Amino acid sequence: MKRYLCSIIIGVVVILSIGTYYVKVASSASSLPKYTFKTLEGSDKELDPVIINASLDNGPYYESLTFESNTTTYDIEKSYLESFSGRQDYRIERLIKEHRSFMRGKDSISSLYEDDDFLAYAWVNSEITNNGKTEAEFDIGLLEKKDEEETSFQIELPNQERIMNADVRDVQLVHSKLQVLTMNDVKSNNEKQTKEVHLYTIDLANKKVLSDKTLVSETFTYPNQVDFEMPTDVAPIQPNNMVLISLIKGVNHEDGSYKEKPSKLLSYNYETEKIETVKLTKNESLSLGMARSGYTDGKTLYLIDKKSDNYRIKTFDLSSRTLTNDKELDVAVNKEEQYFAAIKNGRVYFLIGNGVDQMGSLTYKPAQLLIADLKTGKTLYKGETVMQATNKKNGKKSGFIIEELEVK
C-alpha cells in the first residue's frame, strides 16, 4: 500500500510541476514583444520558407526566438520536450520525422548523405585515454529506404595515433563506397603544427576502410597560421561530385593583428579523384575572400560582392571556371551592419541586421529582408521587421540579435 501511495504522490508532483512550468511560460511569453515582417514590395508568400533564428535582448537575459512563416515563437513557448532537445536544423527535423530509428543520436548535417535510395551517416568518435593517447573510430550507418533496413558499425580510424582531432565535413556515396572528408589536426612533439584534409573510402559491405588519402597537408610554426574553410554548401546532404576547400595562410603579429598571406581555393572531384587549384577571374574582381564566404552546390559558386554601393550576387561556373552572371541587388551596402544570405529555390535570400553605432553598441534597427530572383536579380520581396508589442523598461533600447538564416 505504501508503495502505491508513494507512486501516486510522485505522479501528482510531476503533474503539478509540469502545470507550474506551463503557467510560468505563458506568463513570461505574454510580456515579450512579437515581431513580424512588414511588406514593402512583392508578395509576403515569399516568406513561407524563411526561418530566422535570433535572440531578444531582454534586460540582463537573452530569450531565444525563431521567425517562421512570418510568425515569432520564443523557445520558452515550446513544449517541455521541444525545449529540452533545443534548436535543430530543419533538415535534421525532417529526417527524424521520416526515419526516427535511424536518426537517433545523429544531429550533424555535415555527417549525412541522402539520395532516393539511401541515407548514410559517418562520424568520428574520439577520446583521450589516461596515458594521453587518442583512440578514435568511425561511427558508420546506412539505411536502405525501400525496406528500412539499417546497417551500423564502428571501425578504427587509420593512423589514429598521429591524429589529435578529426572533423567530418562531407559525406558522399560513390560507386557503393562511402567517401568521408575530414579536416584533421595532427599531433606534434615540437613547435611545428600540421593540419590536413583527408578522404577516407569505406567499404560498406565488408565494413572496413579501403583507403586514407591525404588531399592537403600544411605544416607551420607560430606566428604563422594555417586554416581550412569551406564555402557554405546550399545542399549539404545531397549527392555532390565536387567539394571546395579554402587554404588560408597568415601571420600573427606581436601587436595582436593578423595579416593574410597568399592563399588559394582548391576543388576535389569525387569522380575523377583529382584535386585542383581554382583560379578566379581577376578582371571580374573576384577574390578568395569572397569565395570562402560564398555558397556552392558543387557545380556553381555564388559570391557576394560588397565593393559597390549595392550588394551584388555573382555566379561562377566551376566547370568552365568562368563568371556566368553578375546581378545587382536592391539593398545598399552598410559596413556597420551584418548580412546573412541563403541560396535556395532559384532565389537569393538576403537579410541585413545587427547594426552597430560608432561606439560599437547594437542599434537594434529593424532587420531588412530581400528576396530576389537568382538569375535576373529582380526583387520578389522586400520587407523590414516591426514590433507588434513591447515591454519597455526605463526607455532602454531593446531588440533582437540575428544568429542564423535558413530557407526550407
Side-chain angles (χ1 to χ4, degrees):
M1 183 66 183
K2 289 182 178 180
R3 184 176 61 184
Y4 294 125
L5 181 60
C6 183
S7 298
I8 293 172
I9 292 173
I10 291 174
V12 171
V13 170
V14 170
I15 293 172
L16 289 175
S17 297
I18 294 174
T20 301
Y21 167 81
Y22 282 109
V23 169
K24 289 183 177 180
V25 164
S27 176
S28 299
S30 64
S31 65
L32 297 175
K34 294 288 186 178
Y35 295 90
T36 59
F37 275 94
K38 176 184 177 182
T39 300
L40 303 177
E41 184 178 343
S43 170
D44 59 5
K45 290 184 178 180
E46 293 286 343
L47 291 171
D48 289 348
V50 175
I51 302 172
I52 301 171
N53 293 316
S55 291
L56 177 77
D57 184 354
N58 189 34
Y61 306 106
Y62 287 86
E63 300 287 352
S64 296
L65 61 95
T66 300
F67 292 88
E68 186 169 359
S69 299
N70 204 20
T71 301
T72 307
T73 303
Y74 286 91
D75 281 8
I76 61 171
E77 295 179 278
K78 297 178 180 178
S79 70
Y80 181 80
L81 291 177
E82 287 176 323
S83 299
F84 183 77
S85 62
R87 286 179 180 171
Q88 284 184 322
D89 187 294
Y90 74 92
R91 291 160 293 201
I92 296 289
E93 289 183 346
R94 175 184 66 81
L95 290 173
I96 290 175
K97 289 179 181 178
E98 295 175 0
H99 313 285
R100 183 171 296 277
S101 175
F102 179 81
M103 286 298 297
R104 189 172 291 113
K106 300 174 177 66
D107 57 6
S108 172
I109 198 69
S110 64
S111 67
L112 291 161
Y113 165 90
E114 183 185 31
D115 59 27
D116 292 337
D117 302 311
F118 297 100
L119 177 59
Y121 170 82
W123 191 248
V124 175
N125 294 316
S126 62
E127 64 177 1
I128 307 297
T129 62
N130 293 332
N131 57 11
K133 292 184 178 180
T134 300
E135 292 185 352
E137 64 179 13
F138 278 113
D139 184 8
I140 304 297
L142 181 70
L143 174 70
E144 295 187 47
K145 292 183 177 180
K146 185 177 181 180
D147 53 13
E148 288 292 315
E149 182 178 345
E150 296 181 24
T151 301
S152 62
F153 57 91
Q154 289 74 41
I155 43 177
E156 287 189 355
L157 190 73
N159 304 310
Q160 59 183 275
E161 67 278 355
R162 67 183 294 272
I163 296 174
M164 185 166 57
N165 179 65
D167 183 23
V168 175
R169 300 302 302 271
D170 191 39
V171 177
Q172 296 293 323
L173 191 60
V174 182
H175 305 307
S176 300
K177 303 293 189 297
L178 202 62
Q179 303 277 331
V180 184
L181 185 90
T182 68
M183 293 185 180
N184 298 354
D185 292 316
V186 178
K187 291 180 180 178
S188 177
N189 295 323
N190 50 41
E191 294 181 354
K192 292 183 179 179
Q193 299 180 58
T194 300
K195 293 187 177 184
E196 297 176 340
V197 179
H198 282 243
L199 182 69
Y200 299 92
T201 301
I202 298 173
D203 185 338
L204 294 169
N206 296 302
K207 301 179 181 180
K208 65 179 182 179
V209 178
L210 293 178
S211 66
D212 170 11
K213 184 177 182 180
T214 303
L215 301 183
V216 190
S217 181
E218 291 288 335
T219 299
F220 57 97
T221 56
Y222 188 83
N224 295 302
Q225 181 71 37
V226 171
D227 287 299
F228 298 119
E229 292 184 12
M230 297 172 66
T232 300
D233 192 338
V234 300
I237 62 175
Q238 294 179 12
N240 211 335
N241 286 335
M242 186 179 291
V243 64
L244 297 178
I245 304 162
S246 291
L247 169 58
I248 307 161
K249 296 183 178 182
V251 60
N252 298 292
H253 294 293
E254 292 183 358
D255 61 1
S257 62
Y258 170 84
K259 184 176 181 180
E260 188 169 314
K261 292 181 177 180
S263 304
K264 55 185 175 181
L265 179 67
L266 305 170
S267 68
Y268 179 76
N269 190 301
Y270 287 103
E271 289 288 344
T272 64
E273 300 182 4
K274 290 183 179 180
I275 186 165
E276 299 176 330
T277 299
V278 179
K279 295 183 179 179
L280 299 174
T281 313
K282 292 183 178 180
N283 62 341
E284 298 290 354
S285 67
L286 303 181
S287 69
L288 291 172
M290 291 165 57
R292 66 172 173 259
S293 60
Y295 304 80
T296 183
D297 57 9
K299 298 178 181 179
T300 306
L301 179 62
Y302 302 99
L303 307 164
I304 305 297
D305 187 351
K306 50 183 179 180
K307 296 178 181 178
S308 305
D309 292 337
N310 280 21
Y311 285 100
R312 306 185 71 90
I313 179 76
K314 299 189 175 188
T315 304
F316 185 81
D317 182 77
L318 292 170
S319 178
S320 63
R321 300 291 202 261
T322 57
L323 188 71
T324 57
N325 204 0
D326 182 0
K327 296 298 179 183
E328 183 179 74
L329 301 177
D330 186 20
V331 56
V333 173
N334 186 338
K335 294 181 180 180
E336 306 304 323
E337 293 181 318
Q338 188 177 2
Y339 78 82
F340 301 79
I343 308 293
K344 195 76 178 284
N345 310 320
R347 293 160 168 75
V348 53
Y349 297 79
F350 215 79
L351 179 66
I352 302 289
N354 297 351
V356 295
D357 57 24
Q358 294 180 347
M359 302 298 293
S361 300
L362 287 164
T363 59
Y364 297 123
K365 291 181 179 179
Q368 302 173 56
L369 178 64
L370 175 82
I371 304 173
D373 185 279
L374 192 55
K375 291 183 179 179
T376 65
K378 178 183 177 181
T379 298
L380 302 175
Y381 175 85
K382 194 173 185 179
E384 64 180 21
T385 54
V386 292
M387 185 185 295
Q388 299 298 325
T390 184
N391 181 23
K392 294 183 179 179
K393 297 179 180 179
N394 302 323
K396 177 183 178 295
K397 284 186 177 180
S398 64
F400 60 87
I401 302 167
I402 300 168
E403 297 170 354
E404 185 181 25
L405 168 66
E406 295 181 305
V407 179
K408 290 183 178 180

